[in-house]
Amino acid sequence: MNIVITGGAGFIGTHLVEKFLEKSHNVIVVDNLLTGLKANLDNFTKSKNFSFIDLDVQNHIQIDGEVDYVLHLASAASPKAYTDNPINTLKAGSIGTINTLGLAKAKHAKYLLTSTSEVYGDPEISPQPESYWGRVNPNGVRSMYDEAKRFAEAAVSSYNRIYNIDSRIVRLFNTYGPKMKLNDGRVVTNFIVQALNGEDITIYGKGNQTRSFCYVSDTVAGIIKAMDSESNEVFNIGNPNEITILQLAETIVQLTESKSGVNYQELPDDDPTQRKPDISKAKNILDWKPDIGLEEGLNKTIGWVKANLN
Ligand SMILES: NC(=O)c1ccc[n+]([C@@H]2O[C@H](COP(=O)([O-])OP(=O)(O)OC[C@H]3O[C@@H](n4cnc5c(N)ncnc54)[C@H](O)[C@@H]3O)[C@@H](O)[C@H]2O)c1
């Protein structure tokens, strides 16, 4: 297949590109390197099947030749990145989604959008099934990300209804693993770096908010199953193993054999109190479930962070 992937220089995108090249697909990455790294692509540039277009997805995307699949991942994704780049985040989710859908329409290509559990906002129900509409603050401090993704979902759904675009949406829950940026403020890398440096672990609030962490190879397997599926549905892709942020900190301190304590900071506005995916739909329709347990995934991630911490 000829696959166009926006955001392919980022954390999850790089893992997907690796898989596609292993399967001998032709891969075109479209990325403006806002949060992704050119160095992430170094291993791929040797491949004749790989090419890179340095472009912001808010611009027209010109691709010569046939395209079989468009995957739209491009977006700031960590709270630090979208807080620092609110307008670009809104444009990547809105104009970028329309542009990538236009490309899929012009090329008669299949389409996949990576949405997020953040479309559920601060949910009143747990676990969250795809049928839950969410509770999002439309003008709060996270709204540039949450609402951009909600718009993106609406755009994909309309292009599917009106133009019969063969599309699917995956709502990813917190994903972690090797190749995450170490300084973009995501909780798993923050805690590992602080634990390895013997610094106190920064916890916002009391640490009793819950999250569900999915190892990156499981997330990537879920995305590929959704790509291959005939279904034009929305799927939660995440690990239902829900833990509190304090438990995550304690686990990381124990696995790194660190002596770090905890430094409690004020809880930011609109921080969700709970996150747990209902993955019955992905299990039933995609025959997908996560395989990597938290300690196994954290150990792999800790090993990678140790090797990459300067
Ligand atoms: N990692 C997670 O836990 C998680 C959870 C839910 C959803 N997601 C979604 O998965 C996708 C990938 O996330 P990630 O964790 O790999 O993030 P990432 O920041 O590592 O990768 C995002 C990539 O998109 C690129 N990008 C951003 N804005 C762009 C623009 N305007 N034009 C072109 N390129 C642009 C960045 O340079 C980067 O390479 C995102 O859509 C994100 O919303 C991720």
Side-chain angles (χ1 to χ4, degrees):
M1 282 199 291
N2 296 320
I3 300 176
V4 172
I5 172 168
T6 73
F11 162 47
I12 296 174
T14 317
H15 286 271
L16 279 166
V17 172
E18 203 168 271
K19 287 275 174 224
F20 297 151
L21 291 176
E22 272 168 27
K23 291 185 187 166
S24 301
H25 295 307
N26 294 314
V27 182
I28 302 171
V29 165
V30 178
D31 198 304
N32 67 348
L33 303 175
L34 180 74
T35 55
L37 299 172
K38 192 89 188 283
N40 278 345
L41 305 174
D42 282 351
N43 283 341
F44 309 138
T45 46
K46 297 188 259 340
S47 167
K48 64 175 178 20
N49 293 345
F50 177 81
S51 51
F52 173 61
I53 300 175
D54 187 346
L55 183 79
D56 191 311
V57 289
Q58 63 182 283
N59 299 299
H60 174 70
I61 305 168
Q62 172 70 42
I63 308 279
D64 296 329
E66 288 180 15
V67 175
D68 302 296
Y69 225 115
V70 177
L71 290 97
H72 181 36
L73 279 72
S75 169
S78 72
K80 180 178 181 310
Y82 57 71
T83 304
D84 289 348
N85 302 284
I87 308 301
N88 194 278
T89 306
L90 286 162
K91 288 184 175 175
S94 55
I95 303 169
T97 303
I98 297 287
N99 284 342
T100 53
L101 284 164
L103 176 67
K105 178 171 172 272
K107 301 284 185 180
H108 305 287
K110 292 186 171 191
Y111 187 92
L112 179 141
L113 169 75
T114 53
S115 183
T116 168
S117 56
E118 299 296 324
V119 299
Y120 300 125
D122 191 9
E124 299 115 316
I125 58 165
S126 185
Q128 295 88 50
E130 290 86 348
S131 53
Y132 177 56
W133 291 353
R135 189 166 73 112
V136 172
N137 178 349
N139 48 38
V141 291
R142 303 168 79 101
S143 58
M144 72 295 269
Y145 184 61
D146 303 4
E147 296 292 10
K149 290 289 186 180
R150 289 170 68 97
F151 176 93
E153 289 204 13
V156 173
S157 305
S158 289
Y159 271 67
N160 171 262
R161 284 187 202 110
I162 304 299
Y163 298 121
N164 283 320
I165 299 274
D166 188 352
S167 61
R168 61 280 298 134
I169 295 169
V170 286
R171 289 186 184 145
L172 307 183
F173 284 63
N174 285 66
T175 296
Y176 70 101
K179 298 188 188 165
M180 291 178 88
K181 258 181 153 175
L182 299 184
N183 59 355
D184 73 352
R186 297 196 219 203
V187 63
V188 172
T189 36
N190 261 7
F191 285 7
I192 294 176
V193 169
Q194 288 176 326
L196 291 175
N197 287 336
E199 297 160 7
D200 284 349
I201 309 283
T202 310
I203 288 191
Y204 297 100
K206 295 195 175 79
N208 53 7
Q209 64 274 46
T210 68
R211 298 289 183 270
S212 304
F213 295 98
C214 193
Y215 189 67
V216 64
S217 60
D218 283 330
T219 298
V220 164
I223 293 173
I224 291 175
K225 288 238 175 180
M227 275 178 78
D228 292 345
S229 163
E230 299 291 306
S231 171
N232 296 138
E233 299 266 337
V234 180
F235 296 102
N236 283 340
I237 298 291
N239 192 319
N241 176 25
E242 182 185 27
I243 58 165
T244 68
I245 288 297
L246 186 57
Q247 284 171 326
L248 176 72
E250 288 165 353
T251 308
I252 288 175
V253 167
Q254 183 211 326
L255 294 177
T256 50
E257 298 176 352
S258 169
K259 299 202 175 1
S260 296
V262 172
N263 170 19
Y264 291 98
Q265 299 273 332
E266 202 178 321
L267 191 67
D269 284 346
D270 299 334
D271 197 54
T273 47
Q274 55 183 357
R275 272 279 178 276
K276 175 178 172 147
D278 178 337
I279 57 166
S280 345
K281 198 169 161 188
K283 272 186 181 163
N284 293 338
I285 299 181
L286 304 180
D287 189 26
W288 172 86
K289 62 170 182 47
D291 289 328
I292 308 284
L294 185 66
E295 290 205 1
E296 184 186 352
L298 285 176
N299 276 327
K300 288 174 195 263
T301 312
I302 290 165
W304 184 84
V305 174
K306 274 185 186 164
N308 288 277
L309 200 58
N310 296 319

